[in-house]
Amino acid sequence: MTLSETGAQAATARGARIRPPRPSSKPNGQWKVDGTEPLNANEQFKQDDSGLNVRERIEKVYAQGGFSSIDPTDLHGRFRWWGLYTQRKPGIDGGKTASLEPHELEDEYFMLRVRIDGGQLTTEQLRVIGGISTDFARGTADLTDRQNIQLHWVEVESMPEIWRRLESVGLSTTEACGDVPRVVLGSPVAGIASDELIDPTPQIDEITSRFIGDPELANLPRKFKTAITGHPSQDVVHEINDVAFVAVDHPEHGVGYDLWVGGALSTVPRLGERLGTWVAPDQVADVWYGVARIFRDYGYRRLRNKARLKFLLADWGPEKFRDVLETEYLEYRLADGPAAPKPATPGDHVGVHRQKDGRFYVGATPIVGRISGQQIADLADLVEAHGSTRLRTTPHQKIVVLDIPEDRVKSFIAGLDALGLSARPSLIRRGTIACTGIEYCKLAIVDTKDTARAAVLELEKRLGGADLPAPLSLHVNGCPNSCARIQTADIGLKGQIITDDEGNQVPGFQVHLGGGLASSDRAEAGLGRTVRGLKVEATGIADYVERIATRFAGDRDGDETFAQWAHRVDEEALR
């Protein structure tokens, strides 16, 4: 049985139906249609002064004057162009998130996002990040599901030195946040996997070297997310990126890329769509540039909640999008191309795998992506002690270490275990990710990292003997914005304040079930289903997951996956 074999499953296949902006006398802010007159405060500040320009003020003015010297428009706008967000003030209840103004929620400290394109790191770079965490971020560090590393408790006074250290080893925070091209997701096993179709590193390098920090693309309608993979596991969550390139072997032209556009989740999820093209490796950067400029020129800017590329694609459709790309921006036609086949292996790369050169790569997971500056430094030491200097972050809050000699694998795995990074994790630990949550995020309503961690540890005790056929993906998000991809998980939890059995308002989650992206378990991506009234208290995650996992293990039909089961059974079975 496939997910398209029932009406309920088919209805979730591509995601929510998105209505384009209704025809009205008001312009939608499309630069090529309506002109470039700013239509809201966000568009105004971006035109008043590029976010790229704020770095000089940070280094020369704000780092000397401290938090109180920061201009509000820089603080709440342009700082993001350099990876900086104010973090949440401790002690503010999640029920107040929507009622307080940003300045009431924020502390005088920052989250800093270190941009890691393709997830590619050296041990030297890792050690520098660990040192910055220890010296300037109270030892904090989170692996994100965008292959970045985020630090917290950063003060503006520290930024000049932090940038100096990062840039001395080839790292940056340029356009790590903001209405810009964000980090380029890349296959964590690029260049080393024995079953790789093509190494996408040259394409990632060309995009980042040509376009990141380019003022021409520093004022997009909203964020612009990219993914590129040459691996048949399709390991970069391509369906939920604004633009993505997935390796495919064309019967006439050879190995190139299948082009996808218009994917994104948040509160109105929509999966990306194929344009039906085959993109040669030497065309990728120009095609990427064309898609980015379409977004810049035609994206809807009047309403910020309608400004992602998915809304334009919903309006135009893939045929028109392709035509505009080819005729207005590329000035040549792309070859038609086939879709990539269903992945044959998992895309999180956890475990031990032989490289094409005979050495091994080892994928390991912390619990819900949380590590520390000391762990980072110790990991760099461990990797070097086992003969390697290369590792990768992943879109699944994991780490993949490359180039381990065969006779050192056993020792390396033991070293990872000692650091709390498991290469042989339980199925629930392997499948669980969590966003930043209320601990630091001003948008969050509930705690995520500690809540999810406690649930994982408890579930490892309870589900040790359960007959689960594959990792059970549990994605925990602190608000509706889906940074942890709740709609594409087996069990997705969306944070909100709920009413318990005694009538008390408590932290909890709305439940999404049966979502997923293309993987070895499913041919196509699809969004999870919700059950009316199904909500779980934050303290009850382990109880709910144990109940639903046990029910699935006992009720599944043959080799049915959790997603297939969750879409098949009636609502009562999911409560």
Side-chain angles (χ1 to χ4, degrees), residues 25-210:
S25 58
K26 294 182 178 179
N28 286 314
Q30 297 174 279
W31 280 2
K32 272 205 169 185
V33 177
D34 305 310
T36 59
E37 181 70 22
L39 299 180
N40 57 52
N42 280 283
E43 290 301 307
Q44 186 67 59
F45 89 71
K46 289 189 291 182
Q47 285 205 25
D48 287 344
D49 187 31
S50 170
L52 294 175
N53 295 336
V54 79
R55 174 162 173 174
E56 183 176 10
R57 291 193 290 278
I58 293 173
E59 293 184 308
K60 295 184 178 179
V61 179
Y62 304 142
Q64 282 70 47
F67 189 88
S68 63
S69 70
I70 303 172
D71 176 87
T73 306
D74 284 346
L75 181 66
H76 300 123
R78 300 183 188 95
F79 267 45
R80 299 174 186 179
W81 272 242
W82 291 94
L84 290 160
Y85 281 96
T86 51
Q87 68 184 41
R88 189 186 188 95
K89 188 179 297 182
I92 299 178
D93 183 81
K96 298 180 180 179
T97 296
S99 61
L100 296 179
E101 296 296 323
H103 70 274
E104 297 176 293
L105 287 167
E106 69 190 8
D107 209 345
E108 295 187 358
Y109 298 93
F110 294 88
M111 179 276 287
L112 177 66
R113 184 175 294 158
V114 181
R115 182 181 183 124
I116 306 172
D117 291 285
Q120 300 193 14
L121 283 171
T122 65
T123 49
E124 179 187 29
Q125 291 172 327
L126 189 67
R127 191 172 283 109
V128 165
I129 295 172
I132 292 170
S133 169
T134 300
D135 293 345
F136 303 111
R138 301 188 186 181
T140 60
D142 287 332
L143 301 175
T144 78
D145 57 11
R146 297 292 303 174
Q147 294 186 290
N148 297 309
I149 295 178
Q150 291 181 176
L151 310 176
H152 301 281
W153 299 108
V154 173
E155 296 176 299
V156 71
E157 292 90 339
S158 304
M159 286 310 304
E161 174 62 13
I162 290 174
W163 278 324
R164 186 195 68 77
R165 293 191 191 185
L166 289 173
E167 289 166 4
S168 72
V169 292
L171 293 172
S172 82
T173 69
T174 309
E175 296 184 334
C177 312
D179 297 349
V180 292
R182 302 286 186 91
V183 65
V184 179
L185 296 188
S187 171
V189 295
I192 57 97
S194 58
D195 55 347
E196 181 179 60
L197 293 173
I198 186 173
D199 180 358
T201 304
Q203 286 78 61
I204 295 172
D205 289 346
E206 185 176 3
I207 289 171
T208 55
S209 64
R210 285 178 60 184

Side-chain angles (χ1 to χ4, degrees), residues 226-474:
T226 304
I228 306 178
T229 184
H231 195 264
S233 67
Q234 299 174 23
D235 48 5
V236 292
V237 297
H238 62 278
E239 304 100 324
I240 56 173
N241 281 264
D242 295 283
V243 61
F245 300 84
V246 179
V248 63
D249 192 354
H250 193 288
E252 297 178 23
H253 305 299
V255 176
Y257 296 92
D258 185 26
L259 175 62
W260 291 65
V261 300
L265 293 179
S266 192
T267 56
V268 185
R270 193 179 198 277
L271 299 173
E273 296 192 53
R274 299 181 56 243
L275 295 193
T277 65
W278 179 86
V279 181
D282 61 1
Q283 294 174 322
V284 166
D286 288 339
V287 170
W288 180 94
Y289 184 44
V291 175
R293 286 184 294 154
I294 287 176
F295 183 41
R296 180 196 64 192
D297 297 342
Y298 287 105
Y300 302 127
R301 294 174 181 260
R302 181 170 68 88
L303 298 175
R304 193 158 173 81
N305 64 352
K306 300 284 187 181
R308 290 294 298 275
L309 185 63
K310 62 185 174 182
F311 293 96
L312 181 66
L313 180 67
D315 186 5
W316 281 6
E319 294 81 8
K320 178 177 177 179
F321 197 103
R322 176 177 175 176
D323 184 65
V324 172
L325 173 65
E326 293 174 333
T327 58
E328 291 189 31
Y329 291 87
L330 295 178
E331 298 182 352
Y332 61 82
R333 293 290 181 180
L334 294 166
D336 293 338
K342 173 187 172 182
T345 57
D348 64 1
H349 303 298
V350 170
V352 179
H353 310 268
R354 187 179 293 274
Q355 298 177 181
K356 58 187 177 184
D357 65 1
R359 293 179 291 181
F360 287 80
Y361 64 90
V362 180
T365 179
I367 301 180
V368 298
R370 175 141 289 176
I371 51 178
S372 69
Q374 188 60 54
Q375 280 178 295
I376 288 174
D378 291 345
L379 177 61
D381 292 341
L382 178 69
V383 172
E384 290 179 353
H386 285 79
S388 176
T389 60
R390 296 196 298 164
L391 66 156
R392 306 276 169 81
T393 53
T394 84
H396 303 280
Q397 298 183 345
K398 311 286 189 284
I399 287 176
V400 177
V401 179
L402 315 184
D403 306 332
I404 301 298
E406 184 170 7
D407 62 352
R408 309 298 304 279
V409 169
K410 184 176 180 180
S411 170
F412 184 66
I413 291 174
L416 288 173
D417 286 337
L419 292 178
L421 302 169
S422 178
R424 293 168 178 162
S426 67
L427 294 180
I428 192 68
R429 183 180 301 203
R430 180 173 178 173
T432 301
I433 67 174
C435 73
T436 300
I438 200 171
E439 184 177 9
Y440 299 118
C441 178
K442 301 191 298 294
L443 300 178
I445 301 168
V446 301
D447 175 83
T448 54
K449 292 289 190 183
D450 291 338
T451 299
R453 176 185 175 86
V456 166
L457 294 175
E458 182 61 27
L459 286 164
E460 286 180 333
K461 300 175 186 176
R462 298 188 192 184
L463 297 177
D467 182 24
L468 295 177
L472 188 66
S473 57
L474 172 64

